Structures are given as C-alpha cells and as structure tokens.
Amino acid sequence: TATSLNSLVNILLRQSHDSILPFDGFRVLTGCVKNRGKSIPPLGLFYKPVTFWIRVRKWLQRHFGIVVFLSVYCAALFVLLPFRSLWLDEILDLIAARSPSLPSLLAAVRANEGGVPLGYILHALSMAMFGVSAFSGRLPSVIASVFGCIGVFLLAHRAGMRRPIIAVIAFAIFPLQFRYALEARGYEIALCCS
C-alpha cells in the first residue's frame, strides 16, 4: 500500500507540476518536500486556490491607483445622484420601464423614438429591485459608467499605455460621459457596451 500511495501522490503532483522526482509519500502529505529548491504544496490539490488569491493580492498591489480612483469616482456618483431632479425624457423612459410585462415593455420601446430595449430592461430590473425612484432609475447608468471606466483601463493597458489610469481619468471626467452617468437614459449603457 505504501507504493500505491506514492504512485497516487506522484500522479496528483504531476497534474500541477511539470517535473516531479520520486519521493516518500508521507513527506508529500505533510508538505515537507522540495523539488529543485521550490516547496511543493501538500498533494498539489490546494495549490490553485492559494495561487488565485496570491494573484489577486499582487494585482491589487500593482493597480492600487485604479482601485482607489474607481472607489472615489463611484462614491462621487452616488453622492451626486440624488441632487439632480428628473427631466422630461428621463420621466418618459421610466414610465415606459414600469410596464407590467416584457411584451408591453418592448411595445413601449417601439413607440419611443430612439428607444433601445437594453436600457429599458435594465431600468425595469432596477426599479423592480429598489422601488420606483430617481435613484433606482439612474442606478444602471452609474454602474455602466463604472464598468465603462474599467473597460477603458483594460483597453489602455492592452494598448501598451505606460499609465492607463490617465486614460480612465480622462474618460471619467469627460463632461458628456459624466452627465450621462447621472441620467436615467440608455446613453451610458450604450457607451459601456461599446
């Protein structure tokens, strides 16, 4: 049974490590094994979840600036959200989003010139979860604005910008984008999707 245990341990460790040398199964189970100077985790089964959280921590350390900026930006949007009153186009969109069923909602979208179903559906879901208010009507736009900032960051990072946070700040404080982030219209949702 000792040789079968060693064989099982070697098979399990080969799945997560390329080069495994034959060794004692007890030392593997207790985590006392070293392979070419690197510690091998017990059985190799708990390696991936630990690595995931280490990677998350390293990513947060590398991108601390974007995390802080997005937190401040999100807080600023939520603070400014209740200070603006609804205007006529927002009211008309929110009335249509209160339709009792999906077919009647889509009929209301067709009746509205320039109506886009995704915005109405998200506004209807938000009002169903948080009640009918200016806050719940504008919440999808705020969330879309934050996700748009994340998309700009990823795009700038992929394009090779040395400091992609500059692109995110420029996008976030752009007046038209910032205005639509605080409105119950589908413009910010469309911008986020694009």
Side-chain angles (χ1 to χ4, degrees):
T1 60
T3 56
S4 63
L5 178 63
N6 282 340
S7 301
L8 176 66
V9 168
N10 280 331
I11 290 169
L12 289 172
L13 286 171
R14 278 193 189 111
Q15 292 175 356
S16 61
H17 298 285
D18 295 322
S19 59
I20 299 296
L21 303 173
F23 39 76
D24 183 18
F26 174 75
R27 288 176 46 189
V28 171
L29 291 173
T30 58
C32 301
V33 174
K34 293 206 179 231
N35 183 12
R36 294 185 184 174
K38 294 187 266 184
S39 292
I40 298 175
L43 288 179
L45 298 176
F46 303 106
Y47 181 70
K48 291 183 180 176
V50 172
T51 305
F52 171 76
W53 289 113
I54 290 172
R55 285 182 182 172
V56 168
R57 187 180 70 207
K58 286 181 181 179
W59 188 91
L60 288 173
Q61 288 171 350
R62 275 195 317 258
H63 302 296
F64 181 72
I66 188 68
V67 172
V68 169
F69 176 76
L70 285 178
S71 301
V72 170
Y73 178 69
C74 194
L77 287 176
F78 278 109
V79 166
L80 293 173
L81 204 56
F83 290 114
R84 298 194 56 210
S85 60
L86 292 171
W87 55 290
L88 182 62
D89 286 350
E90 290 178 299
I91 293 170
L92 293 175
D93 282 358
L94 294 179
I95 288 172
R98 287 185 58 200
S99 299
S101 65
L102 185 61
S104 63
L105 175 68
L106 294 176
V109 170
R110 277 192 299 255
N112 186 1
E113 290 181 25
V116 181
L118 180 61
Y120 286 91
I121 292 170
L122 292 177
H123 289 122
L125 289 173
S126 177
M127 288 190 300
M129 289 191 304
F130 301 110
V132 179
S133 67
F135 175 81
S136 64
R138 290 177 171 161
L139 185 62
S141 296
V142 170
I143 294 170
S145 178
V146 173
F147 277 114
C149 288
I150 293 169
V152 167
F153 175 78
L154 294 175
L155 186 65
H157 185 69
R158 179 172 270 194
M161 282 188 70
R162 185 177 281 167
R163 299 188 188 265
I165 194 167
I166 295 171
V168 174
I169 293 171
F171 174 78
I173 64 172
F174 188 68
L176 199 56
Q177 187 281 141
F178 193 75
R179 174 185 169 194
Y180 287 145
L182 297 171
E183 289 186 2
R185 299 279 290 157
Y187 302 135
E188 189 65 38
I189 298 165
L191 181 63
C192 175
C193 290
S194 65

